[in-house]
Amino acid sequence: MAVPHPRPDPAADAGPAAAAATAPFVSVRDLTVRFVSRDADVKVINGVSFDVLKGEVLCLLGESGSGKSVTMRTLIRLLPPTARLGGTVTIDGIDVLGLPRNDLKRLRGSLAAMIFQEPMTALDPVFTIGQQIGEALVEQKGMSWADARARALQLLELVQIPSARRRLDNYPHELSGGLRQRAMIALALSLSPKLLLADEPTTALDATVQIQVLLLLRELQKELGMATVFVTHDLGVAAEIADRIGVMYAGRLVELGAVAEIMDAPRHPYTEGLMRSTVHAGMRGKVLDAIPGAPPDLADLPPGCAFAPRCRSVREHCLAVEPAAETVGPGRIVRCLRHGDDPAYAASAPLAIG
Amino acid sequence: MTLAVVPENPRLPVSADPRDRGGPMQPMLLVEDLKKHFPIKGSLFSPSRAVVKAVDGVSFEVAKGETLGIVGESGCGKSTTARLLMHLIQPDAGTIVFDGDPVGVVRGIPVDELQRNMQMVFQDSYASLNPRLPIADSIAFGPKSHGLPKSEARERARDLLGMVGLNPRLFAERYPHELSGGQRQRVNIARALAMHPRLVILDESVSALDKSVEAQVLNLLVSLKDRLSLTYLFISHDLNVVQYVSDRVMVMYLGRVAEIGPVERLYEAPQHPYTRALLSSRPSMDPRRRVSVPPLSGDPPNPVNPPSGCRFRTRCPLAEAVCAEIEPPLAALPAFPAHKVACHAVAAASGHSGTAVPV
Amino acid sequence: MAMAEPAAIRTVSEVLNAGRPARAGVSRSYWAGVRRRLARDRVTIVCAAILFVILAAAIFAPYVTWADPYKTSMIRRLLPPGSPNHILGTDELGRDMFTRLVYGGRISLFTGFMPVFVATVIGGTLGVLAGYLGGRSNMLIMRVMDVFYAFPSVLLAVAISGALGAGLVNGLVAMSLVFIAPVARVSETVATQVRNEDFVEAARATGARTWRILIEHILPNVLGPILIYASSLISVAIVLASGLSFLGLGVSPPNADWGLMLNTLRQSIYVAPVNAILPGVMIFVTSMCFNLMSDGLRAAMDVR
């Protein structure tokens, strides 16, 4: 049996040491999310803890079904009614999960705003861009329509939309994909949120447009000092925009740390595998070092470490014990038995994958 | 009799394929001036004359046993090209020659024989499998419809499942929704191979897969190509993946070929300003050396009304007057005949002031 | 033989599945899933049970009731339900209501089912062909259907059976013609959707013949929605057939048919309201059950 021994609270070192004095802007502790329906009980998030500081970009990196998007949506409780939430989420001192449903409006828009992969889901097709941004300002900030329109124009210029004045009176479908994405960003910024949530905002865009939007987001985030949670499946995108990366797998945060540290020296076998199998120049003619198998079924998670069936460092112990979050350096957390000082791992027999 | 030369590669050279007709020097596929314009539906009272020039005069060839990568942004016509080649949609103009035989003309090969020799794997692994059929039946469908008895077709399906790494005993009778994305894409590959094709078109076939699974499928594709002496047409928007699998790469922009050449050459010395922009739009993968200036501004223009002359000129940093007047032809570089570029700034005596980059 | 060999490294699945029964590659088919979801849907099950009872009673009518549906009796006219020997009373000619309702179900269910069946075969074929072939064939087939569609169905049925003359067979023909257009339209929509799916493209890319693709790939995927739609038409057909009988264009007396019974009993509605309403109740219950059941079917089949 595993011997539980005292471990430091992962939350204590979640942020860089320099920022330890200021309280984190966003704090997530032991978050669990289950989707319960008559047919199934799917454990989508299984105990996720992290902090986001003011002015910092945290990238949640993971594959489909890893829970990265659900984690982010939990921050503003943008989830279907079948979701059952556990743990705590605090944004700027507000207990998000304890907030009554009617008060969620206070949370969304002015405190935290979200941008989506597909802008057509966030923009209303029957109103012009100017009307949509204006309405948010009039409704929520009590501006006059004239002021709101002037502010909307400023916002479109802020997101570098060419001939912004003309675009104010365009309907979403009249804009190209890249401009639509920029318009959605302008809409999200209209209420000057302190927290920006971005759900794969560049994934559906063409390569030459993706980098433009990415650079714009980076610039705006710096300029406005927003805390940002950025969800992506693309290692390259994360490397461009993140200050810190949280790697997710099967509803758990398996590795967390500064972007350069994670890219230079991944510690979790999944992160390692992901980097090894990502195709880049100079791999021509070589067999790719792929991670075997497929992500697990969340409705039927294996016992112990969820990555164990695909892990090249797997030992018998991994199938029995779910690894706890282990602090392996300043602000660096890994959930892997290999990195603990657990003698049971060292003692147990290595296994082959399959 | 003694063999003077022992081939290094134990597998049969491509020319030893009994289906080979034109010999090793004959390209597997030769495409000339392929065109497809889609009319935009107008209403009853205002019939519209607008057309989308999805593919507008595309010419290229694919040598036997090679992988030609096709890259480009949405609306560049790469997927339409694939469907035109498969004759899933009818070309408006152009000739397609398969191993020396022109397609669909008198004394050429008929379309259904072309389709037997050329198969396609689609992007969406779920949509491209019939949800009501066990996967072995989906794979067996092609051979069966070409006259193979049902039991033999199913036997072939089971063999192919094994070949793509799925145990037929466990998987043959499963339905598509019971498989993961990577497994489904393996089934789609098996289905394409069931026709014993010589050329396989992979249209964004790994794009929808998770990164960890993408590598598995890429490995499978590379090894199958070797084992079965296949020729690939690999269409993708992912420049890194294209670089990994391709021998030669073709860059498309708004229905035209911008540049085509051997993969190392194209990635190391891209000539067309668009290719250069595309390559430097890739994220750096290094947080210490991030991209600081976007290589291009704006989106690709609408293919309904493409710009006159060179289609890239509206976004091109090198655009001059001549670019709006004359459409640059796809011409081989004098120093590298295998490397062709359609750009006035590269061609000598084009009327463009800059002989842009040293070749 | 090699006894001294060191213990081989075990695999992950060996450890995970130790002690568990080995799972064979058994797969639950699509239809098994549909059955499972249907079994959980109480409304659908109750409706199916009611329909089953009505259908069984109609088929085995002579065993369900010994009375003669045609035997009139002047002294026993319009007895209220619950009378001795007449559980549901008698009609205006003194015939046993229960017996007539049971026998009436034979004709009413037949007239509800038959035209829909014929229309589904013809309209479904036309619609699927139009949807799959597209282009000019689609134009031709669907514009002809539109002409039929332009008339209200009741009016069209009345007009056609009026032209053909009264009688059960003519009524059936008229109703079949009426239902072809809506079935064709639904089939065309579904077939057009399926035709654009990648798996149909992939099948076309094998160079297979059109009929093969239609049978193996299109049909299994359009059949569900078409059958669901058709089953919802059965209730319409029962009501429509009743209407035709009511107008004297369908079944002629003394045959028992719910619509006809409603028609003749209407004159007695003030004298014996319960008797007069009973055939209407049967029509209502049957069509309601068909409707709810097709709804349940749709819900069970929609999930992938």
Side-chain angles (χ1 to χ4, degrees):
Chain A
M1 240 353 270
V3 187
H5 53 92
R7 292 185 199 288
D9 177 11
D13 328 63
T22 57
F25 188 69
V26 178
S27 164
V28 176
R29 287 291 165 277
D30 303 318
L31 179 69
T32 58
V33 179
R34 293 183 304 143
F35 286 140
V36 182
S37 72
R38 213 166 51 162
D39 282 333
D41 177 356
V42 184
K43 298 179 181 64
V44 187
I45 307 294
N46 305 300
V48 164
S49 303
F50 62 86
D51 290 334
V52 188
L53 306 178
K54 276 201 174 105
E56 170 193 60
V57 182
L58 173 71
C59 256
L60 294 179
L61 182 77
E63 301 180 317
S64 49
S66 63
K68 54 190 192 303
S69 188
V70 174
T71 302
M72 191 187 69
R73 277 155 198 260
T74 310
L75 297 182
I76 52 170
R77 282 181 44 194
L78 200 62
L79 292 173
T82 53
R84 303 276 175 278
L85 307 177
T88 55
V89 174
T90 335
I91 302 178
D92 203 11
I94 299 174
D95 173 19
V96 173
L97 301 190
L99 219 54
R101 222 154 239 297
N102 294 336
D103 287 1
L104 287 177
K105 241 194 153 89
R106 206 155 55 98
L107 188 72
R108 300 174 188 163
S110 49
L111 183 59
M114 182 155 164
I115 53 180
F116 300 85
Q117 176 173 345
E118 187 39 70
M120 284 312 256
T121 58
L123 296 172
D124 191 330
V126 299
F127 293 104
T128 65
I129 300 299
Q131 284 169 334
Q132 295 189 44
I133 298 177
E135 200 202 335
L137 292 167
V138 171
E139 285 264 308
Q140 307 253 347
K141 288 206 164 169
M143 278 190 187
S144 73
W145 267 103
D147 290 348
R149 196 176 156 84
R151 175 77 184 127
L153 181 62
Q154 281 179 352
L155 282 164
L156 291 197
E157 279 162 358
L158 182 71
V159 297
Q160 298 162 16
I161 290 183
S163 41
R165 194 173 292 281
R166 196 157 52 84
R167 296 298 180 195
L168 271 181
D169 299 318
N170 278 158
Y171 290 92
H173 69 89
E174 296 175 306
L175 304 179
S176 65
L179 286 187
R180 227 180 271 153
Q181 202 71 17
R182 287 168 193 266
M184 185 176 59
I185 295 171
L187 181 64
L189 297 181
S190 60
L191 299 175
S192 348
K194 293 176 187 158
L195 172 65
L196 185 66
L197 306 176
D199 190 2
E200 305 246 15
T202 62
T203 304
L205 300 173
D206 283 320
T208 58
V209 183
Q210 160 168 316
I211 195 77
Q212 295 171 37
V213 174
L214 216 49
L215 295 192
L216 171 73
L217 277 173
R218 206 165 71 191
E219 226 169 84
L220 289 173
Q221 185 270 333
K222 286 239 161 62
E223 213 169 289
L224 305 173
M226 290 176 291
T228 302
V229 179
F230 194 107
V231 160
T232 182
H233 70 280
D234 189 326
L235 217 54
V237 168
E240 282 295 336
I241 198 158
D243 294 318
R244 288 191 301 139
I245 292 183
V247 183
M248 293 197 66
Y249 188 83
R252 294 195 180 93
L253 202 57
V254 293
E255 182 159 11
L256 182 71
V259 56
E261 286 178 34
I262 289 203
M263 302 282 294
D264 289 349
R267 302 289 284 272
H268 194 281
Y270 172 65
T271 321
E272 279 173 23
L274 211 52
M275 305 238 173
R276 267 199 316 266
S277 60
T278 298
V279 184
H280 53 80
M283 292 170 108
R284 261 186 75 72
K286 290 177 200 150
V287 176
L288 296 174
D289 197 352
I291 304 177
D297 179 1
L298 292 175
D300 184 24
L301 280 176
C305 173
F307 185 64
R310 306 174 72 188
C311 178
R312 60 172 60 176
S313 310
V314 62
R315 298 193 173 196
E316 276 198 45
H317 193 53
C318 300
L319 303 180
V321 175
E322 190 192 316
E326 203 77 52
T327 304
V328 293
R332 192 80 188 275
I333 292 170
V334 179
R335 263 182 192 269
C336 176
L337 293 171
R338 198 177 64 177
H339 293 285
D341 33 14
D342 191 342
Y345 174 81
S348 74
L351 296 175
I353 302 171
Chain B
M1 197 174 78
T2 50
L3 276 171
V5 182
V6 179
E8 282 180 6
N9 194 338
R11 80 178 156 91
L12 292 174
V14 178
S15 56
D17 189 330
R19 296 168 296 176
D20 191 66
R21 294 164 61 95
M25 293 314 290
Q26 174 69 41
M28 185 66 93
L29 189 68
L30 209 126
V31 178
E32 229 160 283
D33 209 20
L34 197 63
K35 275 197 182 119
K36 182 70 190 179
H37 295 181
F38 295 105
I40 296 180
K41 263 196 190 152
S43 70
L44 186 62
F45 301 107
S46 59
S48 132
R49 287 283 145 80
V51 289
V52 179
K53 297 183 174 175
V55 174
D56 199 21
V58 165
S59 308
F60 62 92
E61 53 182 69
V62 189
K64 282 174 184 161
E66 83 165 343
T67 299
L68 175 70
I70 304 184
V71 294
E73 295 174 287
S74 53
C76 75
K78 52 191 198 296
S79 279
T80 308
T81 303
R83 284 177 163 72
L84 287 173
L85 294 177
M86 283 308 299
H87 282 74
L88 291 172
I89 44 180
Q90 295 309 311
D92 291 338
T95 50
I96 299 171
V97 179
F98 188 84
D99 197 7
D101 296 316
V103 177
V105 297
V106 188
R107 253 177 274 152
I109 61 166
V111 168
D112 62 336
E113 201 180 319
L114 173 82
Q115 288 175 329
R116 211 172 309 166
N117 283 298
M118 191 156 89
Q119 282 290 297
M120 180 160 165
V121 181
F122 298 80
Q123 168 170 10
D124 186 336
S125 67
Y126 189 68
S128 49
L129 287 172
N130 187 340
R132 301 277 194 274
L133 280 189
I135 57 174
D137 287 352
S138 271
I139 299 171
F141 174 78
K144 220 171 57 181
S145 65
H146 279 279
L148 202 68
K150 193 173 175 187
S151 57
E152 278 177 51
R154 285 192 61 94
E155 199 44 51
R156 188 188 287 182
R158 296 175 70 89
D159 289 348
L160 281 164
L161 276 176
M163 195 184 271
V164 296
L166 297 174
N167 182 346
R169 209 168 49 81
L170 294 176
F171 285 93
E173 296 308 317
R174 289 203 193 177
Y175 285 81
H177 70 266
E178 298 173 304
L179 272 60
S180 70
Q183 290 169 338
R184 277 199 295 265
Q185 206 55 302
R186 286 169 190 267
V187 174
N188 281 313
I189 293 167
R191 190 246 314 268
L193 296 179
M195 302 295 290
H196 291 327
R198 299 174 63 194
L199 185 133
V200 180
I201 300 176
L202 300 151
D203 185 5
E204 301 274 10
S205 302
V206 298
S207 305
L209 300 176
D210 282 324
K211 285 285 162 208
S212 71
V213 177
E214 180 188 79
Q216 296 172 16
V217 176
L218 283 174
N219 281 339
L220 174 70
L221 286 173
V222 170
S223 80
L224 285 173
K225 181 179 178 233
D226 245 31
R227 273 173 74 182
L228 305 172
S229 315
L230 294 169
T231 302
Y232 282 161
L233 202 65
F234 191 95
I235 299 171
S236 177
H237 68 277
D238 187 329
L239 290 152
N240 290 325
V241 171
V242 166
Q243 183 179 20
Y244 173 73
V245 297
S246 307
D247 299 306
R248 287 193 310 134
V249 176
M250 177 161 98
V251 182
M252 288 183 72
Y253 190 77
L254 283 187
R256 307 267 307 171
V257 179
E259 184 165 7
I260 184 168
V263 61
E264 296 89 357
R265 171 82 190 154
L266 197 107
Y267 277 74
E268 272 155 34
Q271 298 297 306
H272 199 287
Y274 177 61
T275 313
R276 264 180 273 156
L278 209 53
L279 286 171
S280 47
S281 292
R282 287 180 295 177
S284 61
M285 295 298 283
D286 182 352
R288 290 179 198 85
R289 284 185 297 136
R290 289 180 168 169
V291 179
S292 52
V293 183
L296 283 185
S297 63
D299 296 52
N302 195 331
V304 177
N305 277 316
S308 66
C310 173
R311 295 184 179 195
F312 184 59
R313 71 178 165 83
T314 50
R315 302 169 82 194
C316 182
L318 308 176
E320 289 185 6
V322 62
C323 302
E325 285 154 21
I326 304 164
E327 184 155 356
L330 187 67
L333 296 176
F336 289 90
H339 190 173
K340 295 180 186 171
V341 188
C343 178
H344 290 309
V346 175
S350 64
H352 195 283
S353 64
T355 20
V357 264
V359 174
Chain C
M1 309 227 268
M3 305 284 265
E5 209 175 334
I9 293 181
R10 296 206 292 163
T11 67
V12 173
S13 47
E14 275 169 21
V15 177
L16 278 180
N17 295 332
R20 275 202 227 176
R23 268 213 335 229
V26 188
S27 109
R28 268 182 308 179
S29 77
Y30 169 77
W31 292 107
V34 171
R35 241 175 286 141
R36 191 164 40 90
R37 281 188 291 274
L38 270 182
R40 261 190 236 159
D41 187 346
R42 263 187 227 135
V43 175
T44 307
I45 289 180
V46 169
C47 287
I50 294 175
L51 284 177
F52 179 77
V53 169
I54 295 176
L55 189 71
I59 291 171
F60 301 106
Y63 304 96
V64 175
T65 165
W66 287 275
D68 180 347
Y70 304 115
K71 192 179 170 233
T72 58
S73 163
M74 279 311 172
I75 43 169
R76 293 208 192 97
R77 284 161 44 179
L78 293 173
L79 292 180
S83 308
N85 292 331
H86 301 288
I87 328 167
L88 294 178
T90 56
D91 70 357
E92 79 285 357
L93 293 176
R95 295 171 292 199
D96 182 47
M97 277 298 284
F98 176 71
T99 308
R100 281 186 71 77
L101 283 177
V102 169
Y103 276 88
R106 286 186 150 183
I107 298 179
S108 278
L109 287 176
F110 184 71
T111 51
F113 180 77
M114 211 44 211
V116 172
F117 177 75
V118 173
T120 304
V121 171
I122 299 174
T125 310
L126 287 173
V128 170
L129 276 177
Y132 182 70
L133 298 175
R136 291 225 179 91
S137 328
N138 181 309
M139 254 320 223
L140 187 74
I141 296 174
M142 294 322 286
R143 289 305 83 79
V144 173
M145 291 299 129
D146 283 351
V147 173
F148 279 87
Y149 216 77
F151 298 97
S153 56
V154 177
L155 210 62
L156 189 61
V158 169
I160 297 175
S161 56
L164 293 173
L168 179 62
V169 176
N170 287 345
L172 289 177
V173 171
M175 287 186 358
S176 305
L177 284 172
V178 166
F179 288 136
I180 286 177
V183 172
R185 185 174 275 195
V186 168
S187 313
E188 190 253 358
T189 312
V190 182
T192 307
Q193 276 167 12
V194 172
R195 160 207 151 92
N196 291 329
E197 299 254 12
D198 283 351
F199 69 83
V200 177
E201 291 241 293
R204 285 173 55 212
T206 61
R209 297 198 189 290
T210 303
W211 63 267
R212 245 186 199 289
I213 298 176
L214 275 171
I215 288 175
E216 292 207 26
H217 291 289
I218 305 280
L219 214 53
N221 286 286
V222 297
L223 216 50
I226 294 177
L227 288 183
I228 288 167
Y229 179 68
S231 72
S232 75
L233 278 182
I234 291 179
S235 58
V236 181
I238 292 177
V239 176
L240 195 57
S242 307
L244 286 182
S245 305
F246 185 88
L247 294 171
L249 288 169
V251 187
S252 44
N255 283 319
D257 164 275
W258 294 339
L260 199 61
M261 291 168 71
L262 199 62
N263 187 11
T264 50
L265 278 165
R266 144 186 80 117
Q267 287 140 346
S268 322
I269 189 139
Y270 297 113
V271 188
V274 180
N275 298 29
I277 285 170
L278 275 174
V281 170
M282 289 309 294
I283 295 172
F284 175 77
V285 168
T286 310
S287 56
M288 202 61 192
C289 284
F290 267 118
N291 250 330
L292 289 173
M293 203 174 74
S294 60
D295 240 30
L297 270 179
R298 178 187 336 219
M301 291 176 72
D302 260 0
V303 191
R304 277 193 176 174

